[in-house]
Amino acid sequence: MENRRFYITTPIYYPSDKLHIGHTYCTVATDAMARYKRLTGCEVMFLTGTDEHGQKIEDKAREVGVTPQQFVDSIVQGDRGILDLWKLMNISNDRFIRTTDDYHVSAIQKIFKKMHDNGDIYKGKYVGKYCKPCESFWTDSQLVDGKCPDCGREVQDAEEEAYFFKLSKYADKIQHLLEDTDFLEPRSRVNEMVNNFIKPGLEDLCVSRTSFTWGIPVDFDPGHVVYVWVDALSNYITALGYDNDRYDDYSKFWPADVHFVGKEIVRFHSIIWPAMLMSLGEPLPKKVFGHGWLLLDGGKMSKSKGNVVDPYILAEMFGVDALRFFLLRTFPFGSDGNFSNEALIQTINVDLANDLGNLLSRTVSMVGKYFGGQLPAEQAEDPDKDSELVDMVSSLRGRYEEQMEKFAFQNGLAEIFKVIDRANKYIDENAPWVLAKDMETNGPRLACVMYNLLEVLRVCAILLTPFIPTSAAEVLRQIGACEKCSTWESAGQWAVLPKTVAVVRGENLFPRIDADKALKELDEAAEAAKKAALPDLEIEPQLEEKVDFDTFCKSDFRAVKVKDCQPVKKSEKLLRFTLDDGTGTDRQILSGIAKWYKPEELIGKTLMAIVNLPPRKMMGQESCGMLISAVHTEKGEEQLNLLILDDKIPAGAKMC
Ligand code: MSP
């Protein structure tokens, strides 16, 4: 009998920054798979969560002056945080694990101890390289041009007392698992793993650190924290209740049916994770699927490149379903794909607005117009004209299922849209508006044409549910499909709607997008988001280099009174000051502050100037000294304030 349970996971996300559209990709795919499996009648466990330990988080928290726990809390639970994002994207996860959850922490300590006690974890000294952003250890031979082979960034020397996991012991078994079974897909990723990691010789893995504290303590050796990947990978079993009392589903759902993971973390999931499970004596997950990346202009999305795409902005502009649909319709799941706003708009306009949206609105409005919203029972079939469409729809579920079982979302959707396309042609072939001219003769035929179109919409909407849950439910509502007509079972059958079905007119599901306008708005929104992400206030760091007192005393700071202030011709920046410096002779200083001050507002003010700088010519005029001001950056813009002194300070007074 078919296994009616299905356990699927996403990687648990690092809450080190806000998530971007690339992160959303895997979670949306996992959600579509989980919904598909539920639709087919499986009992599904869909797990996602956050991976909250490690040096990177500790460093980031320090940078912003909060504790690591406060830092991760704000990114996970805060406004527009990870939980908000999954809610927005309509993600139907059954469980959410945080690796800082107590039950997980104590389970990891037990897992670590088990592997220690069975001799697979031993103490040694770690000498190698560490990539902080990736939280990965590398041996010299694994580096590419001396840099991290995953992200290409600089690595650091690392040497410390550490525990090691006997990964080498499992090399043969892992090689067999990868080469001789379907454990890892797509197949292309197998060669990469075997050639790059196993054949050069699997080395034991450093699994504890002592140089930072934000991790799960090794309870039998204080000072050591568990390597973040050992902590993170185990989430897939602790979230089911392995070695803890918080949950009790381990025997029900383990082994997982599939771990969906991005291609750069396939190594951890297809080598380290199975080895850990072998050491623990637990069954291995049935499959690891390494999906491709969403790229931007052919390159990686990253905060440092400033090119990350905000899923909130896209979902707000185009709708959650449209965004979910685009991600899975456009890119083959196993390969990389280039994300662009143009492609997003194009997919929405072609597939959703033109093809699906039009089919729905034309059909529902014709049933309204020609039959007052409810079809008559008398309907005339015409096999010559109907059978191709009917056959296509009747066999659609099978073709779709075949693709979905392979995680080929794009192909599954392509099957649906072939049918939608065919149905739009069917309207033109049968020209309902011509039939409607003579309802007495053609009424039954017209009713049958309408019925067939409603059936197409019914089956397609059921199969689209995993991708666009809200819109698919709305399609089913508008075509009058009851619950029984909306099941997986019924998606494999033709003529399930009652003949006298009544439609419900509703909103246009997918309005056409004006591409030029939308692209402009997106640019503006991205610009505004970039600005909003800038720190409110940026103060230049203090200089490390010391200046001796005698050198300092050589600078002659004086109070000066502004007798006159004028703009300098042909200069947008400069103001020319005539100053009383207490000597009896006027002093002229030019200052580049026109952006912040109007000349007239400064007349009469007492300012601070350094008066023993050598004279300098600017725009052909001499400047003897410099006015002192305070500068800082606010929301990315430089701000300047002159030091304006108390008026009772006389001109010429020395500042010291
Ligand atoms: N914390 C680890 C996973 C631990 S699983 C036991 C991690 N977190 S992550 O937040 O950096 O990445 C989470 C997932 O997002 C990874 O699978 C990664 O491949 C995926 N993506 C990040 N950027 C991506 C794209 N631009 N495109 C597609 N997926 C990408 O790794």
Side-chain angles (χ1 to χ4, degrees):
M1 208 180 98
E2 196 198 341
N3 178 10
R4 306 304 292 160
R5 289 192 185 123
F6 190 79
Y7 178 30
I8 185 168
T9 67
T10 69
I12 50 173
Y13 293 81
Y14 285 127
S16 57
D17 278 311
K18 299 247 163 183
L19 300 190
H20 55 65
I21 192 75
H23 297 111
T24 312
Y25 181 49
C26 182
T27 311
V28 166
T30 313
D31 186 64
M33 199 63 213
R35 286 178 186 269
Y36 159 74
K37 284 287 173 181
R38 283 191 205 108
L39 183 66
T40 65
C42 287
E43 184 179 1
V44 170
M45 171 62 74
F46 165 11
L47 172 71
T48 186
T50 42
D51 173 10
E52 305 188 358
H53 293 120
Q55 191 168 2
K56 186 163 54 172
I57 303 271
E58 188 175 286
D59 290 351
K60 287 225 161 185
R62 191 177 310 115
E63 264 168 40
V64 289
V66 296
T67 65
Q69 189 64 57
Q70 286 167 331
F71 181 80
V72 292
D73 282 352
S74 73
I75 295 193
V76 177
Q77 309 166 331
D79 186 34
R80 295 196 158 203
I82 295 180
L83 288 171
D84 277 357
L85 178 62
W86 298 154
K87 206 162 152 199
L88 171 81
M89 294 305 296
N90 209 353
I91 300 302
S92 64
N93 55 299
D94 299 284
R95 216 157 269 178
F96 189 94
I97 185 170
R98 298 183 60 178
T99 55
T100 49
D101 289 340
D102 288 346
Y103 74 90
H104 174 80
V105 170
S106 63
I108 292 301
Q109 291 175 327
K110 289 184 194 147
I111 288 171
F112 196 90
K113 182 139 193 335
K114 264 188 207 167
M115 296 195 289
H116 178 262
D117 291 352
N118 72 19
D120 275 351
I121 285 182
Y122 61 93
K123 204 177 219 178
K125 197 172 206 184
Y126 181 76
V127 184
K129 306 285 183 200
Y130 191 70
C131 174
K132 228 199 245 181
C134 296
E135 311 261 17
S136 296
F137 292 108
W138 300 104
T139 54
D140 284 327
S141 64
Q142 287 172 328
L143 301 179
V144 175
D145 299 332
K147 302 213 166 113
C148 171
D150 271 356
C151 71
R153 277 179 276 213
E154 295 292 339
V155 288
Q156 303 166 345
D157 284 326
E159 181 182 320
E160 58 189 53
E161 181 193 84
Y163 284 97
F164 286 83
F165 173 62
K166 282 189 187 163
L167 193 56
S168 55
K169 174 176 155 185
Y170 296 100
D172 291 346
K173 282 188 178 168
I174 303 279
Q175 186 165 355
H176 159 72
L177 177 73
L178 295 180
E179 287 185 330
D180 307 327
T181 75
D182 292 333
F183 176 76
L184 175 60
E185 280 182 6
R187 204 64 209 159
S188 55
R189 309 230 180 262
V190 170
N191 293 341
E192 196 188 323
M193 289 302 116
V194 173
N195 295 338
N196 296 356
F197 298 106
I198 299 188
K199 288 212 171 134
L202 257 194
E203 289 173 34
D204 289 353
L205 178 76
C206 177
V207 288
S208 80
R209 300 294 310 270
T210 53
S211 54
F212 64 94
T213 55
W214 183 240
I216 298 182
V218 175
D219 52 355
F220 57 86
D221 195 347
H224 286 260
V225 294
V226 176
Y227 173 42
V228 70
W229 273 101
V230 169
D231 164 0
L233 288 162
S234 307
N235 92 90
Y236 301 130
I237 55 176
T238 62
L240 296 179
Y242 184 83
D243 269 346
N244 68 82
D245 296 330
R246 174 78 167 80
Y247 296 110
D248 193 19
D249 302 303
Y250 184 69
S251 55
K252 186 168 172 187
F253 285 109
W254 192 256
D257 290 272
V258 62
H259 295 312
F260 277 179
V261 303
K263 62 177 186 178
E264 87 286 17
I265 58 172
V266 162
R267 179 171 76 97
F268 299 95
H269 285 81
S270 66
I271 297 177
I272 299 174
W273 181 223
M276 281 172 61
L277 288 163
M278 287 173 190
S279 169
L280 292 169
E282 298 298 331
L284 306 185
K286 292 179 201 156
K287 199 172 287 300
V288 169
F289 190 95
H291 65 77
W293 275 349
L294 286 193
L295 305 174
L296 262 186
D297 303 322
K300 213 173 165 184
M301 289 183 188
S302 80
K303 199 171 175 200
S304 54
K305 287 190 195 156
N307 66 3
V308 284
V309 179
D310 186 343
Y312 277 100
I313 296 179
L314 297 174
E316 273 157 17
M317 275 193 74
F318 302 114
V320 169
D321 275 354
L323 185 55
R324 290 172 57 111
F325 176 81
F326 167 70
L327 293 176
L328 300 178
R329 167 78 163 127
T330 316
F331 312 110
F333 192 47
S335 329
D336 290 349
N338 218 351
F339 179 92
S340 77
N341 292 326
E342 286 80 358
L344 170 60
I345 295 170
Q346 156 110 344
T347 303
I348 297 175
N349 280 346
V350 173
D351 286 344
L352 296 179
N354 257 10
D355 295 352
L356 173 62
N358 255 344
L359 178 63
L360 175 71
S361 62
R362 283 163 95 189
T363 306
V364 171
S365 72
M366 286 191 289
V367 175
K369 190 167 160 194
Y370 304 139
F371 299 103
Q374 181 166 22
L375 294 182
E378 197 191 336
Q379 299 185 5
E381 288 172 12
D382 182 344
D384 281 351
K385 288 194 166 143
D386 300 342
S387 59
E388 191 190 325
L389 181 69
V390 174
D391 290 349
M392 255 182 119
V393 179
S394 307
S395 55
L396 174 59
R397 196 189 82 169
R399 291 193 306 279
Y400 164 91
E401 192 176 6
E402 196 186 323
Q403 299 301 333
M404 293 297 281
E405 290 297 326
K406 293 190 284 193
F407 314 123
F409 302 106
Q410 193 193 28
N411 297 348
L413 285 167
E415 291 298 339
I416 299 176
F417 276 81
K418 274 186 222 160
V419 172
I420 292 175
D421 201 37
R422 183 69 194 83
N424 276 317
K425 286 203 186 84
Y426 176 83
I427 299 185
D428 297 337
E429 286 162 9
N430 286 279
W433 46 92
V434 176
L435 294 173
K437 283 187 183 147
D438 182 358
M439 284 301 272
E440 217 159 292
T441 323
N442 301 328
R445 175 64 196 147
L446 183 57
C448 177
V449 170
M450 290 300 121
Y451 181 82
N452 290 345
L453 293 171
L454 290 174
E455 272 294 290
V456 172
L457 281 161
R458 182 184 66 80
V459 172
C460 291
I462 297 171
L463 302 182
L464 281 168
T465 303
F467 299 92
I468 48 171
T470 311
S471 315
E474 178 58 13
V475 174
L476 290 167
R477 192 188 73 84
Q478 290 194 21
I479 64 167
C482 64
E483 217 172 289
K484 267 199 346 234
C485 307
S486 310
T487 60
W488 172 250
E489 203 78 278
S490 77
Q493 295 157 358
W494 177 254
V496 172
L497 285 169
K499 287 281 168 207
T500 56
V501 61
V503 301
V504 185
R505 279 206 80 163
E507 295 217 331
N508 184 357
L509 266 190
F510 297 106
R512 223 190 132 70
I513 290 164
D514 174 340
D516 290 344
K517 192 166 153 249
L519 288 171
K520 196 163 156 261
E521 276 172 32
L522 275 174
D523 281 349
E524 285 164 7
E527 211 39 55
K530 235 191 244 168
K531 223 167 177 186
L534 289 169
D536 284 347
L537 199 63
E538 238 180 303
I539 307 284
E540 215 177 287
Q542 295 186 0
L543 297 179
E544 294 283 326
E545 197 185 337
K546 302 288 175 226
V547 56
D548 64 73
F549 188 69
D550 289 345
T551 311
F552 166 71
C553 289
K554 286 183 188 158
S555 302
D556 196 358
F557 292 102
R558 301 286 172 152
V560 290
K561 292 211 187 267
V562 182
K563 292 173 77 174
D564 191 24
C565 180
Q566 298 292 334
V568 172
K569 273 189 202 145
K570 293 194 187 148
S571 167
E572 284 176 7
K573 289 188 186 160
L574 289 176
L575 295 182
R576 191 184 65 235
F577 289 82
T578 308
L579 303 160
D580 173 3
D581 62 3
T583 59
T585 313
D586 287 350
R587 171 180 292 270
Q588 175 167 293
I589 290 183
L590 301 182
S591 182
I593 59 170
K595 184 172 164 195
W596 295 280
Y597 289 100
K598 291 200 177 72
E600 57 277 14
E601 68 183 291
L602 293 172
I603 296 174
K605 297 273 189 251
T606 306
L607 308 177
M608 179 170 161
I610 174 167
V611 294
N612 62 337
L613 288 176
R616 226 179 116 193
K617 278 219 162 159
M618 287 187 245
M619 303 291 285
Q621 305 201 33
E622 193 157 81
S623 179
C624 302
M626 194 176 86
L627 295 172
I628 307 298
S629 30
V631 282
H632 71 279
T633 305
E634 226 173 291
K635 286 276 169 227
E637 282 208 13
E638 194 185 29
Q639 302 294 337
L640 177 144
N641 289 283
L642 278 169
L643 253 63
I644 299 182
L645 306 176
D646 196 318
D647 283 339
K648 57 178 193 270
I649 301 173
K654 187 165 170 68
M655 313 275 135
C656 52

